Amino acid sequence: MPAKAAGGYSRAMQRILVTGGAGFIGCNFVHYIMEHTTQHVTVLDKLTYAGNVESLSGLQSERFTFIKGDICDAVLVDELTESVHAVVHFAAESHNDNSLEDPRPFLETNLAGTFTLIEAARRHGKRFHHISTDEVYGDLALDDPHRFTENSVYRPTSPYSATKAGSDMLVRAWVRSFGLKATISNCSNNYGPYQHVEKFIPRQITNILDGNRPHLYGNGRNVRDWIHVQDHSSAVLAILEGGRLGETYLIGADGERSNREVVEMLLSLAGQPRDAYDLVTDRPGHDLRYAIDSSKLRRELGWSPRFPDFEAGLADTVQWYRDNEHWWRPQKAATESKYAGQGH
Ligand code: NAD
Ligand code: DAU
């Protein structure tokens, strides 16, 4: 383990605080930590439209506490941060389309919320891990031979990615100015169970299950670099355990696919013609391509994805949505009517 990581985190620490643990990636991380460590996990989550306590059902109660609250609530955040050994910060407004409709909650949660957390972490000298996104680096041309690295220039393009970029900058400044014991990870697009039906893959899976045609923005040629959410969780744990303080790690699983390819795979899995989709109005400012070079993480921490087969992971995800209609059905109609209002 690198020397600087000694000031960081170890599985022997007993208590961690996970913000946004009722959301898609946060809840999968909480399940992962409960399974792979003996730690006590406290989740702090506001339960916005994107949070769902049902995603955390079945967890051992003596090792798990759920607190409904806002990461912008400085008094609550201070009290919870003091009571744990490390903070893993997932909470965010996370959907680009929503940020184009109403950016304000993105500024509040992603910027003011992160500020509130890092102030508490520095006051109490706690280890902090900040979850961020590859979108802070803007987008790539389809034929660009390069992928994003830790040295790529920040070029966010949407209100969502601008606020995530700002939150990364706050964490970096707190490391340098106040010695905050922090690491940052920037991950590519996640897929897997418990993802809200507003997001691309669950939206198309549930459209197909409902007998409706998938909707592709623009010409469908935009590329995303897909990673299974369990691989994101294992990477975050590896960074917590072995990451060098002050460093950024990019997380990705070499999963580049165009949106059109993904929809064609989903239609094939459902036994439908591969062209049974509709092209709809494009997202304004739609980023063309994201692609992650995760060699630093692999080289320094020995991490590698356990679910590198995207098609197999997608088939499992389709099955999860088939088996868990009770989980997604309550959000489906409202989500689709919101999209209809946006012209999608
Ligand atoms: P999500 O929208 O599914 O979940 C966000 C969670 O945060 C919800 O449970 C919500 O209730 C909670 N939350 C929102 N505002 C809050 C506040 N003010 N106080 C407390 N809780 C609040 O998001 P996700 O897709 O799970 O993303 C989690 C993190 O990972 C985000 O920081 C996102 O930027 C980052 N990320 C996501 C992806 C992806 O593909 N989804 C990829 C890379 C990075
Ligand atoms: O790259 C990481 C980012 O991935 C995260 O930071 C974000 O939180 C997460 O939401 C995701 O952002 P995207 O904008 O890439 O994800 P989304 O699921 O919204 O869309 C994926 C692609 O699919 C994108 O090119 C837009 C397109 N799309 C989306 C929807 C909802 C469609 O073609 N049709 C749709 O109905």
Side-chain angles (χ1 to χ4, degrees):
M1 185 183 293
K4 272 184 152 181
Y9 162 104
S10 85
R11 282 186 203 202
M13 287 178 163
Q14 285 155 7
R15 304 182 77 87
I16 64 168
L17 176 65
V18 177
T19 73
F24 164 47
I25 306 176
C27 81
N28 277 285
F29 179 74
V30 171
H31 284 286
Y32 190 86
I33 287 287
M34 296 298 282
E35 202 177 313
H36 292 86
T37 76
T38 56
Q39 290 175 329
H40 182 282
V41 177
T42 300
V43 166
L44 171 61
D45 197 295
K46 187 178 174 181
L47 295 183
T48 66
Y49 78 96
N52 188 342
V53 274
E54 258 197 68
S55 310
L56 297 165
S57 62
L59 294 175
Q60 256 178 280
S61 59
E62 66 276 11
R63 281 181 54 212
F64 177 72
T65 307
F66 180 81
I67 309 277
K68 182 177 175 193
D70 193 329
I71 57 168
C72 298
D73 179 342
V75 174
L76 176 62
V77 163
D78 190 78
E79 186 187 307
L80 291 176
T81 303
E82 190 176 12
S83 71
V84 298
H85 296 96
V87 179
V88 187
H89 174 35
F90 290 90
E93 286 292 336
S94 71
H95 193 36
N96 275 299
D97 290 323
N98 293 343
S99 82
L100 296 164
E101 289 294 304
D102 181 12
R104 181 168 292 279
F106 290 75
L107 273 78
E108 284 161 359
T109 289
N110 301 358
L111 290 171
T114 301
F115 163 73
T116 307
L117 285 159
I118 56 180
E119 277 290 86
R122 78 145 164 139
R123 237 183 338 264
H124 297 294
K126 298 298 164 77
R127 175 78 168 86
F128 189 85
H129 182 71
H130 179 59
I131 304 292
S132 192
T133 168
D134 58 359
E135 294 194 22
V136 298
Y137 303 116
D139 60 358
L140 297 163
L142 293 180
D143 60 354
D144 191 328
H146 303 103
R147 299 187 289 174
F148 298 136
T149 73
E150 288 77 6
N151 298 320
S152 295
V153 174
Y154 271 58
R155 285 199 186 93
T157 63
S158 75
Y160 162 68
S161 57
T163 57
K164 290 299 290 188
S167 68
D168 292 10
M169 294 303 159
L170 290 176
V171 175
R172 287 176 179 210
W174 262 238
V175 168
R176 168 99 181 238
S177 300
F178 304 119
L180 182 71
K181 294 190 289 185
T183 41
I184 299 176
S185 54
N186 297 74
C187 189
S188 60
N189 285 62
N190 285 220
Y191 73 98
Y194 300 111
Q195 187 168 28
H196 194 281
V197 290
E198 70 186 352
K199 299 285 166 56
F200 177 56
I201 287 181
R203 184 181 186 207
Q204 312 316 336
I205 292 173
T206 53
N207 278 352
I208 293 169
L209 291 177
D210 277 349
N212 295 322
R213 287 164 73 90
H215 290 178
L216 273 177
Y217 293 172
N219 60 15
R221 293 195 192 284
N222 302 61
V223 169
R224 296 296 182 262
D225 188 354
W226 294 100
I227 180 172
H228 195 279
V229 66
Q230 285 242 22
D231 285 330
H232 190 176
S233 295
S234 67
V236 170
L237 184 55
I239 296 165
L240 275 168
E241 290 186 317
R244 286 180 292 137
L245 296 181
E247 291 289 314
T248 290
Y249 294 88
L250 264 53
I251 306 174
D254 303 331
E256 282 188 73
R257 297 282 187 292
S258 73
N259 294 337
R260 191 184 285 237
E261 283 176 276
V262 173
V263 158
E264 286 172 357
M265 279 183 207
L266 291 173
L267 287 163
S268 287
L269 285 166
Q272 294 191 21
R274 289 168 72 87
D275 61 354
Y277 56 80
D278 292 324
L279 298 177
V280 299
T281 315
D282 206 356
R283 172 186 282 172
H286 194 176
D287 281 345
L288 193 51
R289 171 177 165 236
Y290 307 138
I292 287 270
D293 175 350
S294 59
S295 29
K296 175 178 174 182
L297 175 66
R298 294 169 191 241
R299 192 179 58 246
E300 282 193 16
L301 303 180
W303 176 86
S304 59
R306 290 192 47 226
F307 301 90
D309 182 342
F310 177 66
E311 205 150 5
L314 200 61
D316 289 347
T317 304
V318 169
Q319 193 55 46
W320 189 87
Y321 281 87
R322 279 188 195 283
D323 294 342
N324 291 278
E325 183 173 346
H326 66 278
W327 183 88
W328 57 266
R329 177 58 70 194
Q331 278 90 40
K332 183 65 180 167
T335 303
E336 286 307 317
S337 74
K338 189 153 86 179
Y339 274 123
Q342 294 168 3
H344 292 313

